Amino acid sequence: MAKQRKHLGEILYKAGLVEKQPLIEAIKASKSNNKRLGQVLLDQGLIDEETLTKAIAKQFGLEYINLDTTLIPSDATKFIPQELIRRHNVLPLGMDNGKLRVIISDPLDLETMDAIRFRLNTELECCLANPAKIRSYIQESFNQVKKEEGDRLKHSIDATAAELAEVGDALQAEMLRAQAAGEDDSAPIIRLVNLIIDNAYYMRASDIHIEPMADRVRVRYRIDGVCLERDNIPKSMQAPLVTRFKILSGMDIAEKRLPQDGRIKRVIGGQDIDFRVSSLPGNHGPSVVLRILRPDAVNVGIESLGFEQDNYEQFQKIIKRPNGIFLVTGPTGSGKTTTLYAALQELNKPDKKIITAEDPVEYSFDGMNQCQVKEEIELTFDRILRAMLRQAPNIILIGEIRDGVVADIAIQAALTGHLVFSTLHTNDAPSAITRLIDMGVKPFLVASSIQAIMAQRLIRIICKKCKVVDENPDLRHLQALDIAPEDIEKHPIHKGAGCSQCQDTGYKGRLAIFEMFEMNSELRELAFSKAPATELRKAAKASGMRTLMEDGKIKIFKGITTPAEVVRITQTEGAVID
């Protein structure tokens, strides 16, 4: 017969750590508030976390580990991937008699232990440690790893390029020998490519641009939507550099006349990172662009996208409707896909069937059926959509509405009880109505099927480390945004002075500004009568729509971004500036 586990209160009382009456009161509070007794005792200040952890270890018969005096073996982290360590707040100690010794913070979290067993296919021997100390230990350890990576990257690309230049004409032969020998990482050209990729990842770049010029090869990183020139590589390195990227991405190195696409998979900082690679022939040789697809880039959550409270509530209400079309519009790189993925993840529940048609599928998600367009075998958007509807989905994502055929099928899907998400390339939200009608969709179908259209742009955020009050903001920007002197008195304008954290740009990170165009009876009437975009826009503003510029002004007054940034993003050609 299994030995009955002692109660936590009994253990603490017998050890003289808690008085009887306070313990009784805590037990009553635990039951009435539906909280664990240990948490109640912590909240009331009757015990500290270390004492609680030792008592729980005794209660469950687990070994207690004091992380202040215990050194985790340096090679132990190889047993559990970093993302599992961070997600579940656990630490590996190493293998012992075929079992993985692991430090946990909660012995009742059976789901975590099952997940680790399943993922690693091994049995666990659990020990217990203070949860806060586990978090602190993980943070310090990974910060040290990141610092070491940073120190390694300080062995600059310029230095490696100089070393390559010394090799001269023998480089091609050396590169080929290195490849034949199994791609030895010590080969200079391989080191150079690795440095370029690693540097871009740690600088938070979204793209790497390798651009042959007349006398050099320029390397630029796109950080927060803006290209920054990082390095210049000798012209003699162009051929082996481009060849290396082509080999890594599975392209044909003999094909120099036609554009090519490929993919690279690489582990950086404990994460599996995908790179979408494009090669385009040019006057001075093929340029290569690598798009960095970070797993965490689309897991931001709706609340982190940049919505103001009213737009957030409106967005939540719209995406939870049973049918209709929700469109997100904006130019390439404005975060449309991230917004739609955030909406789908919110809706991704066991009782909902979600099917997507994408070109290409950049990120994979559990619980969604994702289908990639393949034009070469005639697997087009319209063909996928027709097949989709026979799969009885609740929610459909169409990567992009490109023509009238796809638009018609999407609208028919919306009218037959499906919720349809898609994107469209227009400058603002009201223009999407006229664009669909121009594609050949009948106005009454547009008017009846569209639930809402949201335009968005990404603006750069002022770097928190070097953020200062801007004593002399540019008057042209203030006038363009209709910001009056009295507005500045209430809400001082901020800017980034520039520091090492933001590469002296004054900005670090991005969030979105939005223009939410929700259909109502008046707007449906205007759409039905084929009203121009200007009239639709005027009516939408009268019914409460906030424009991109107005949403940007709110971010300025909150000290999130600068007038220059909002003007740069919203005053694009063709946009309506009020």
PDB file of all heavy atoms in Angstrom, residues 364-396:
ATOM      1  N   SER A 364       5.202  27.177 -39.387  1.00  0.00           N
ATOM      2  CA  SER A 364       4.277  26.055 -39.166  1.00  0.00           C
ATOM      3  C   SER A 364       3.646  26.169 -37.786  1.00  0.00           C
ATOM      4  O   SER A 364       4.308  26.558 -36.821  1.00  0.00           O
ATOM      5  CB  SER A 364       5.033  24.723 -39.282  1.00  0.00           C
ATOM      6  OG  SER A 364       5.524  24.560 -40.588  1.00  0.00           O
ATOM      7  N   PHE A 365       2.351  25.805 -37.690  1.00  0.00           N
ATOM      8  CA  PHE A 365       1.630  25.883 -36.432  1.00  0.00           C
ATOM      9  C   PHE A 365       0.897  24.575 -36.180  1.00  0.00           C
ATOM     10  O   PHE A 365       0.290  24.004 -37.091  1.00  0.00           O
ATOM     11  CB  PHE A 365       0.611  27.030 -36.463  1.00  0.00           C
ATOM     12  CG  PHE A 365       1.238  28.392 -36.537  1.00  0.00           C
ATOM     13  CD1 PHE A 365       1.423  29.011 -37.765  1.00  0.00           C
ATOM     14  CD2 PHE A 365       1.653  29.036 -35.394  1.00  0.00           C
ATOM     15  CE1 PHE A 365       2.006  30.263 -37.842  1.00  0.00           C
ATOM     16  CE2 PHE A 365       2.237  30.285 -35.461  1.00  0.00           C
ATOM     17  CZ  PHE A 365       2.414  30.902 -36.682  1.00  0.00           C
ATOM     18  N   ASP A 366       0.942  24.134 -34.920  1.00  0.00           N
ATOM     19  CA  ASP A 366       0.183  22.949 -34.531  1.00  0.00           C
ATOM     20  C   ASP A 366      -1.306  23.272 -34.568  1.00  0.00           C
ATOM     21  O   ASP A 366      -1.726  24.360 -34.177  1.00  0.00           O
ATOM     22  CB  ASP A 366       0.565  22.512 -33.108  1.00  0.00           C
ATOM     23  CG  ASP A 366       1.987  21.968 -33.041  1.00  0.00           C
ATOM     24  OD1 ASP A 366       2.478  21.508 -34.089  1.00  0.00           O
ATOM     25  OD2 ASP A 366       2.587  22.009 -31.957  1.00  0.00           O
ATOM     26  N   GLY A 367      -2.080  22.319 -35.045  1.00  0.00           N
ATOM     27  CA  GLY A 367      -3.531  22.478 -35.025  1.00  0.00           C
ATOM     28  C   GLY A 367      -4.115  23.140 -36.252  1.00  0.00           C
ATOM     29  O   GLY A 367      -5.328  23.247 -36.374  1.00  0.00           O
ATOM     30  N   MET A 368      -3.250  23.608 -37.173  1.00  0.00           N
ATOM     31  CA  MET A 368      -3.745  24.221 -38.406  1.00  0.00           C
ATOM     32  C   MET A 368      -3.336  23.364 -39.598  1.00  0.00           C
ATOM     33  O   MET A 368      -2.242  22.791 -39.608  1.00  0.00           O
ATOM     34  CB  MET A 368      -3.164  25.630 -38.592  1.00  0.00           C
ATOM     35  CG  MET A 368      -3.550  26.629 -37.536  1.00  0.00           C
ATOM     36  SD  MET A 368      -2.932  28.268 -37.957  1.00  0.00           S
ATOM     37  CE  MET A 368      -2.879  29.051 -36.338  1.00  0.00           C
ATOM     38  N   ASN A 369      -4.197  23.307 -40.600  1.00  0.00           N
ATOM     39  CA  ASN A 369      -3.893  22.597 -41.840  1.00  0.00           C
ATOM     40  C   ASN A 369      -3.377  23.624 -42.848  1.00  0.00           C
ATOM     41  O   ASN A 369      -4.143  24.429 -43.361  1.00  0.00           O
ATOM     42  CB  ASN A 369      -5.148  21.910 -42.382  1.00  0.00           C
ATOM     43  CG  ASN A 369      -5.732  20.916 -41.402  1.00  0.00           C
ATOM     44  OD1 ASN A 369      -5.331  19.776 -41.359  1.00  0.00           O
ATOM     45  ND2 ASN A 369      -6.677  21.370 -40.580  1.00  0.00           N
ATOM     46  N   GLN A 370      -2.061  23.596 -43.092  1.00  0.00           N
ATOM     47  CA  GLN A 370      -1.447  24.606 -43.952  1.00  0.00           C
ATOM     48  C   GLN A 370      -1.086  24.008 -45.308  1.00  0.00           C
ATOM     49  O   GLN A 370      -0.447  22.964 -45.386  1.00  0.00           O
ATOM     50  CB  GLN A 370      -0.195  25.179 -43.274  1.00  0.00           C
ATOM     51  CG  GLN A 370      -0.524  25.945 -41.994  1.00  0.00           C
ATOM     52  CD  GLN A 370       0.714  26.364 -41.225  1.00  0.00           C
ATOM     53  OE1 GLN A 370       1.210  25.616 -40.390  1.00  0.00           O
ATOM     54  NE2 GLN A 370       1.219  27.561 -41.514  1.00  0.00           N
ATOM     55  N   CYS A 371      -1.498  24.693 -46.352  1.00  0.00           N
ATOM     56  CA  CYS A 371      -1.275  24.204 -47.714  1.00  0.00           C
ATOM     57  C   CYS A 371      -0.492  25.246 -48.501  1.00  0.00           C
ATOM     58  O   CYS A 371      -0.830  26.434 -48.473  1.00  0.00           O
ATOM     59  CB  CYS A 371      -2.619  23.937 -48.389  1.00  0.00           C
ATOM     60  SG  CYS A 371      -2.475  23.083 -49.968  1.00  0.00           S
ATOM     61  N   GLN A 372       0.553  24.818 -49.185  1.00  0.00           N
ATOM     62  CA  GLN A 372       1.415  25.742 -49.931  1.00  0.00           C
ATOM     63  C   GLN A 372       1.074  25.744 -51.415  1.00  0.00           C
ATOM     64  O   GLN A 372       0.893  24.695 -52.029  1.00  0.00           O
ATOM     65  CB  GLN A 372       2.882  25.369 -49.740  1.00  0.00           C
ATOM     66  CG  GLN A 372       3.823  26.288 -50.515  1.00  0.00           C
ATOM     67  CD  GLN A 372       5.231  26.260 -49.953  1.00  0.00           C
ATOM     68  OE1 GLN A 372       5.427  26.163 -48.769  1.00  0.00           O
ATOM     69  NE2 GLN A 372       6.211  26.350 -50.840  1.00  0.00           N
ATOM     70  N   VAL A 373       0.987  26.943 -51.967  1.00  0.00           N
ATOM     71  CA  VAL A 373       0.755  27.101 -53.409  1.00  0.00           C
ATOM     72  C   VAL A 373       1.977  26.605 -54.171  1.00  0.00           C
ATOM     73  O   VAL A 373       3.116  26.898 -53.801  1.00  0.00           O
ATOM     74  CB  VAL A 373       0.494  28.588 -53.740  1.00  0.00           C
ATOM     75  CG1 VAL A 373       0.487  28.817 -55.236  1.00  0.00           C
ATOM     76  CG2 VAL A 373      -0.824  29.040 -53.121  1.00  0.00           C
ATOM     77  N   LYS A 374       1.738  25.814 -55.232  1.00  0.00           N
ATOM     78  CA  LYS A 374       2.827  25.339 -56.092  1.00  0.00           C
ATOM     79  C   LYS A 374       2.385  25.522 -57.543  1.00  0.00           C
ATOM     80  O   LYS A 374       1.723  24.659 -58.122  1.00  0.00           O
ATOM     81  CB  LYS A 374       3.149  23.874 -55.800  1.00  0.00           C
ATOM     82  CG  LYS A 374       3.734  23.651 -54.405  1.00  0.00           C
ATOM     83  CD  LYS A 374       4.013  22.180 -54.123  1.00  0.00           C
ATOM     84  CE  LYS A 374       4.549  21.988 -52.720  1.00  0.00           C
ATOM     85  NZ  LYS A 374       4.687  20.559 -52.352  1.00  0.00           N
ATOM     86  N   GLU A 375       2.751  26.653 -58.087  1.00  0.00           N
ATOM     87  CA  GLU A 375       2.311  27.006 -59.438  1.00  0.00           C
ATOM     88  C   GLU A 375       2.793  26.009 -60.482  1.00  0.00           C
ATOM     89  O   GLU A 375       2.108  25.744 -61.472  1.00  0.00           O
ATOM     90  CB  GLU A 375       2.820  28.415 -59.803  1.00  0.00           C
ATOM     91  CG  GLU A 375       2.313  29.524 -58.898  1.00  0.00           C
ATOM     92  CD  GLU A 375       0.911  29.978 -59.249  1.00  0.00           C
ATOM     93  OE1 GLU A 375       0.349  29.445 -60.227  1.00  0.00           O
ATOM     94  OE2 GLU A 375       0.382  30.846 -58.545  1.00  0.00           O
ATOM     95  N   GLU A 376       3.992  25.417 -60.260  1.00  0.00           N
ATOM     96  CA  GLU A 376       4.575  24.529 -61.270  1.00  0.00           C
ATOM     97  C   GLU A 376       3.749  23.262 -61.492  1.00  0.00           C
ATOM     98  O   GLU A 376       3.831  22.626 -62.542  1.00  0.00           O
ATOM     99  CB  GLU A 376       6.022  24.163 -60.897  1.00  0.00           C
ATOM    100  CG  GLU A 376       6.207  23.361 -59.619  1.00  0.00           C
ATOM    101  CD  GLU A 376       6.317  24.227 -58.365  1.00  0.00           C
ATOM    102  OE1 GLU A 376       5.985  25.432 -58.453  1.00  0.00           O
ATOM    103  OE2 GLU A 376       6.728  23.696 -57.326  1.00  0.00           O
ATOM    104  N   ILE A 377       2.945  22.864 -60.489  1.00  0.00           N
ATOM    105  CA  ILE A 377       2.066  21.694 -60.672  1.00  0.00           C
ATOM    106  C   ILE A 377       0.594  22.136 -60.687  1.00  0.00           C
ATOM    107  O   ILE A 377      -0.302  21.342 -60.429  1.00  0.00           O
ATOM    108  CB  ILE A 377       2.306  20.622 -59.586  1.00  0.00           C
ATOM    109  CG1 ILE A 377       2.078  21.201 -58.181  1.00  0.00           C
ATOM    110  CG2 ILE A 377       3.685  20.025 -59.710  1.00  0.00           C
ATOM    111  CD1 ILE A 377       2.049  20.136 -57.075  1.00  0.00           C
ATOM    112  N   GLU A 378       0.396  23.438 -60.956  1.00  0.00           N
ATOM    113  CA  GLU A 378      -0.937  24.034 -61.061  1.00  0.00           C
ATOM    114  C   GLU A 378      -1.744  23.942 -59.761  1.00  0.00           C
ATOM    115  O   GLU A 378      -2.976  23.887 -59.775  1.00  0.00           O
ATOM    116  CB  GLU A 378      -1.718  23.401 -62.222  1.00  0.00           C
ATOM    117  CG  GLU A 378      -1.064  23.656 -63.568  1.00  0.00           C
ATOM    118  CD  GLU A 378      -1.870  23.083 -64.727  1.00  0.00           C
ATOM    119  OE1 GLU A 378      -2.980  22.575 -64.473  1.00  0.00           O
ATOM    120  OE2 GLU A 378      -1.383  23.159 -65.860  1.00  0.00           O
ATOM    121  N   LEU A 379      -1.008  23.904 -58.627  1.00  0.00           N
ATOM    122  CA  LEU A 379      -1.689  23.968 -57.334  1.00  0.00           C
ATOM    123  C   LEU A 379      -1.774  25.443 -56.953  1.00  0.00           C
ATOM    124  O   LEU A 379      -0.954  25.972 -56.223  1.00  0.00           O
ATOM    125  CB  LEU A 379      -0.905  23.171 -56.275  1.00  0.00           C
ATOM    126  CG  LEU A 379      -1.562  23.021 -54.900  1.00  0.00           C
ATOM    127  CD1 LEU A 379      -2.899  22.309 -55.002  1.00  0.00           C
ATOM    128  CD2 LEU A 379      -0.643  22.299 -53.927  1.00  0.00           C
ATOM    129  N   THR A 380      -2.784  26.110 -57.478  1.00  0.00           N
ATOM    130  CA  THR A 380      -2.932  27.560 -57.336  1.00  0.00           C
ATOM    131  C   THR A 380      -3.865  27.883 -56.171  1.00  0.00           C
ATOM    132  O   THR A 380      -4.521  27.000 -55.610  1.00  0.00           O
ATOM    133  CB  THR A 380      -3.498  28.155 -58.625  1.00  0.00           C
ATOM    134  OG1 THR A 380      -4.728  27.471 -58.927  1.00  0.00           O
ATOM    135  CG2 THR A 380      -2.525  27.987 -59.781  1.00  0.00           C
ATOM    136  N   PHE A 381      -3.932  29.176 -55.823  1.00  0.00           N
ATOM    137  CA  PHE A 381      -4.814  29.610 -54.745  1.00  0.00           C
ATOM    138  C   PHE A 381      -6.258  29.167 -54.994  1.00  0.00           C
ATOM    139  O   PHE A 381      -6.919  28.626 -54.110  1.00  0.00           O
ATOM    140  CB  PHE A 381      -4.776  31.143 -54.604  1.00  0.00           C
ATOM    141  CG  PHE A 381      -3.719  31.652 -53.672  1.00  0.00           C
ATOM    142  CD1 PHE A 381      -2.726  32.504 -54.124  1.00  0.00           C
ATOM    143  CD2 PHE A 381      -3.715  31.287 -52.328  1.00  0.00           C
ATOM    144  CE1 PHE A 381      -1.759  32.982 -53.265  1.00  0.00           C
ATOM    145  CE2 PHE A 381      -2.747  31.760 -51.462  1.00  0.00           C
ATOM    146  CZ  PHE A 381      -1.758  32.617 -51.931  1.00  0.00           C
ATOM    147  N   ASP A 382      -6.757  29.396 -56.222  1.00  0.00           N
ATOM    148  CA  ASP A 382      -8.166  29.080 -56.484  1.00  0.00           C
ATOM    149  C   ASP A 382      -8.425  27.579 -56.403  1.00  0.00           C
ATOM    150  O   ASP A 382      -9.468  27.151 -55.898  1.00  0.00           O
ATOM    151  CB  ASP A 382      -8.609  29.640 -57.845  1.00  0.00           C
ATOM    152  CG  ASP A 382      -7.722  29.198 -58.988  1.00  0.00           C
ATOM    153  OD1 ASP A 382      -6.502  29.287 -58.854  1.00  0.00           O
ATOM    154  OD2 ASP A 382      -8.272  28.776 -60.018  1.00  0.00           O
ATOM    155  N   ARG A 383      -7.445  26.775 -56.860  1.00  0.00           N
ATOM    156  CA  ARG A 383      -7.625  25.322 -56.801  1.00  0.00           C
ATOM    157  C   ARG A 383      -7.625  24.816 -55.357  1.00  0.00           C
ATOM    158  O   ARG A 383      -8.429  23.957 -54.981  1.00  0.00           O
ATOM    159  CB  ARG A 383      -6.512  24.649 -57.602  1.00  0.00           C
ATOM    160  CG  ARG A 383      -6.772  23.180 -57.874  1.00  0.00           C
ATOM    161  CD  ARG A 383      -5.838  22.659 -58.945  1.00  0.00           C
ATOM    162  NE  ARG A 383      -6.085  21.261 -59.247  1.00  0.00           N
ATOM    163  CZ  ARG A 383      -5.401  20.561 -60.141  1.00  0.00           C
ATOM    164  NH1 ARG A 383      -4.442  21.150 -60.837  1.00  0.00           N
ATOM    165  NH2 ARG A 383      -5.686  19.302 -60.371  1.00  0.00           N
ATOM    166  N   ILE A 384      -6.705  25.371 -54.550  1.00  0.00           N
ATOM    167  CA  ILE A 384      -6.652  24.992 -53.132  1.00  0.00           C
ATOM    168  C   ILE A 384      -7.952  25.401 -52.434  1.00  0.00           C
ATOM    169  O   ILE A 384      -8.517  24.633 -51.646  1.00  0.00           O
ATOM    170  CB  ILE A 384      -5.448  25.653 -52.431  1.00  0.00           C
ATOM    171  CG1 ILE A 384      -4.135  25.061 -52.963  1.00  0.00           C
ATOM    172  CG2 ILE A 384      -5.514  25.462 -50.920  1.00  0.00           C
ATOM    173  CD1 ILE A 384      -2.889  25.793 -52.497  1.00  0.00           C
ATOM    174  N   LEU A 385      -8.447  26.599 -52.745  1.00  0.00           N
ATOM    175  CA  LEU A 385      -9.655  27.092 -52.085  1.00  0.00           C
ATOM    176  C   LEU A 385     -10.870  26.226 -52.392  1.00  0.00           C
ATOM    177  O   LEU A 385     -11.688  25.934 -51.511  1.00  0.00           O
ATOM    178  CB  LEU A 385      -9.930  28.533 -52.506  1.00  0.00           C
ATOM    179  CG  LEU A 385      -9.025  29.597 -51.870  1.00  0.00           C
ATOM    180  CD1 LEU A 385      -9.295  30.956 -52.482  1.00  0.00           C
ATOM    181  CD2 LEU A 385      -9.237  29.640 -50.383  1.00  0.00           C
ATOM    182  N   ARG A 386     -10.981  25.803 -53.647  1.00  0.00           N
ATOM    183  CA  ARG A 386     -12.124  24.947 -54.002  1.00  0.00           C
ATOM    184  C   ARG A 386     -12.060  23.623 -53.234  1.00  0.00           C
ATOM    185  O   ARG A 386     -13.092  23.105 -52.783  1.00  0.00           O
ATOM    186  CB  ARG A 386     -12.134  24.690 -55.510  1.00  0.00           C
ATOM    187  CG  ARG A 386     -12.536  25.924 -56.325  1.00  0.00           C
ATOM    188  CD  ARG A 386     -12.773  25.576 -57.785  1.00  0.00           C
ATOM    189  NE  ARG A 386     -13.201  26.743 -58.544  1.00  0.00           N
ATOM    190  CZ  ARG A 386     -12.378  27.523 -59.238  1.00  0.00           C
ATOM    191  NH1 ARG A 386     -11.078  27.256 -59.270  1.00  0.00           N
ATOM    192  NH2 ARG A 386     -12.843  28.569 -59.889  1.00  0.00           N
ATOM    193  N   ALA A 387     -10.843  23.079 -53.113  1.00  0.00           N
ATOM    194  CA  ALA A 387     -10.682  21.824 -52.361  1.00  0.00           C
ATOM    195  C   ALA A 387     -10.915  22.043 -50.868  1.00  0.00           C
ATOM    196  O   ALA A 387     -11.478  21.200 -50.176  1.00  0.00           O
ATOM    197  CB  ALA A 387      -9.279  21.262 -52.594  1.00  0.00           C
ATOM    198  N   MET A 388     -10.488  23.203 -50.382  1.00  0.00           N
ATOM    199  CA  MET A 388     -10.663  23.561 -48.965  1.00  0.00           C
ATOM    200  C   MET A 388     -12.114  23.459 -48.527  1.00  0.00           C
ATOM    201  O   MET A 388     -12.436  22.951 -47.459  1.00  0.00           O
ATOM    202  CB  MET A 388     -10.226  25.020 -48.762  1.00  0.00           C
ATOM    203  CG  MET A 388      -8.892  25.215 -48.127  1.00  0.00           C
ATOM    204  SD  MET A 388      -8.752  26.980 -47.805  1.00  0.00           S
ATOM    205  CE  MET A 388      -6.987  27.103 -47.713  1.00  0.00           C
ATOM    206  N   LEU A 389     -12.989  24.004 -49.353  1.00  0.00           N
ATOM    207  CA  LEU A 389     -14.397  24.090 -48.968  1.00  0.00           C
ATOM    208  C   LEU A 389     -15.033  22.714 -48.822  1.00  0.00           C
ATOM    209  O   LEU A 389     -16.047  22.564 -48.159  1.00  0.00           O
ATOM    210  CB  LEU A 389     -15.163  24.935 -49.993  1.00  0.00           C
ATOM    211  CG  LEU A 389     -14.707  26.398 -50.078  1.00  0.00           C
ATOM    212  CD1 LEU A 389     -15.470  27.134 -51.169  1.00  0.00           C
ATOM    213  CD2 LEU A 389     -14.884  27.092 -48.740  1.00  0.00           C
ATOM    214  N   ARG A 390     -14.423  21.693 -49.442  1.00  0.00           N
ATOM    215  CA  ARG A 390     -14.925  20.321 -49.283  1.00  0.00           C
ATOM    216  C   ARG A 390     -14.393  19.676 -48.005  1.00  0.00           C
ATOM    217  O   ARG A 390     -14.767  18.548 -47.680  1.00  0.00           O
ATOM    218  CB  ARG A 390     -14.547  19.483 -50.510  1.00  0.00           C
ATOM    219  CG  ARG A 390     -15.233  19.942 -51.788  1.00  0.00           C
ATOM    220  CD  ARG A 390     -15.098  18.930 -52.908  1.00  0.00           C
ATOM    221  NE  ARG A 390     -13.760  18.867 -53.449  1.00  0.00           N
ATOM    222  CZ  ARG A 390     -13.284  19.642 -54.430  1.00  0.00           C
ATOM    223  NH1 ARG A 390     -14.082  20.560 -54.974  1.00  0.00           N
ATOM    224  NH2 ARG A 390     -12.057  19.508 -54.879  1.00  0.00           N
ATOM    225  N   GLN A 391     -13.492  20.390 -47.295  1.00  0.00           N
ATOM    226  CA  GLN A 391     -12.915  19.865 -46.055  1.00  0.00           C
ATOM    227  C   GLN A 391     -13.681  20.354 -44.821  1.00  0.00           C
ATOM    228  O   GLN A 391     -13.267  20.107 -43.690  1.00  0.00           O
ATOM    229  CB  GLN A 391     -11.455  20.313 -45.932  1.00  0.00           C
ATOM    230  CG  GLN A 391     -10.547  19.774 -47.020  1.00  0.00           C
ATOM    231  CD  GLN A 391      -9.943  18.443 -46.651  1.00  0.00           C
ATOM    232  OE1 GLN A 391      -9.439  18.268 -45.553  1.00  0.00           O
ATOM    233  NE2 GLN A 391      -9.988  17.491 -47.565  1.00  0.00           N
ATOM    234  N   ALA A 392     -14.760  21.083 -45.021  1.00  0.00           N
ATOM    235  CA  ALA A 392     -15.621  21.593 -43.949  1.00  0.00           C
ATOM    236  C   ALA A 392     -14.856  22.380 -42.890  1.00  0.00           C
ATOM    237  O   ALA A 392     -14.923  22.078 -41.699  1.00  0.00           O
ATOM    238  CB  ALA A 392     -16.381  20.439 -43.284  1.00  0.00           C
ATOM    239  N   PRO A 393     -14.121  23.430 -43.303  1.00  0.00           N
ATOM    240  CA  PRO A 393     -13.409  24.229 -42.301  1.00  0.00           C
ATOM    241  C   PRO A 393     -14.331  25.256 -41.634  1.00  0.00           C
ATOM    242  O   PRO A 393     -15.377  25.605 -42.183  1.00  0.00           O
ATOM    243  CB  PRO A 393     -12.344  24.944 -43.137  1.00  0.00           C
ATOM    244  CG  PRO A 393     -12.993  25.118 -44.475  1.00  0.00           C
ATOM    245  CD  PRO A 393     -13.899  23.919 -44.663  1.00  0.00           C
ATOM    246  N   ASN A 394     -13.934  25.725 -40.458  1.00  0.00           N
ATOM    247  CA  ASN A 394     -14.621  26.866 -39.838  1.00  0.00           C
ATOM    248  C   ASN A 394     -13.959  28.175 -40.251  1.00  0.00           C
ATOM    249  O   ASN A 394     -14.634  29.178 -40.461  1.00  0.00           O
ATOM    250  CB  ASN A 394     -14.572  26.764 -38.308  1.00  0.00           C
ATOM    251  CG  ASN A 394     -15.201  25.496 -37.785  1.00  0.00           C
ATOM    252  OD1 ASN A 394     -14.496  24.557 -37.423  1.00  0.00           O
ATOM    253  ND2 ASN A 394     -16.522  25.459 -37.763  1.00  0.00           N
ATOM    254  N   ILE A 395     -12.625  28.127 -40.339  1.00  0.00           N
ATOM    255  CA  ILE A 395     -11.855  29.348 -40.602  1.00  0.00           C
ATOM    256  C   ILE A 395     -10.881  29.084 -41.747  1.00  0.00           C
ATOM    257  O   ILE A 395     -10.224  28.037 -41.795  1.00  0.00           O
ATOM    258  CB  ILE A 395     -11.084  29.789 -39.333  1.00  0.00           C
ATOM    259  CG1 ILE A 395     -12.062  30.088 -38.191  1.00  0.00           C
ATOM    260  CG2 ILE A 395     -10.207  31.003 -39.610  1.00  0.00           C
ATOM    261  CD1 ILE A 395     -11.416  30.138 -36.830  1.00  0.00           C
ATOM    262  N   ILE A 396     -10.795  30.043 -42.663  1.00  0.00           N
ATOM    263  CA  ILE A 396      -9.912  29.918 -43.829  1.00  0.00           C
ATOM    264  C   ILE A 396      -8.976  31.124 -43.861  1.00  0.00           C
ATOM    265  O   ILE A 396      -9.410  32.263 -43.667  1.00  0.00           O
ATOM    266  CB  ILE A 396     -10.738  29.879 -45.137  1.00  0.00           C
ATOM    267  CG1 ILE A 396     -11.569  28.591 -45.204  1.00  0.00           C
ATOM    268  CG2 ILE A 396      -9.845  29.995 -46.358  1.00  0.00           C
ATOM    269  CD1 ILE A 396     -12.586  28.589 -46.336  1.00  0.00           C
TER     270      ILE A 396
END
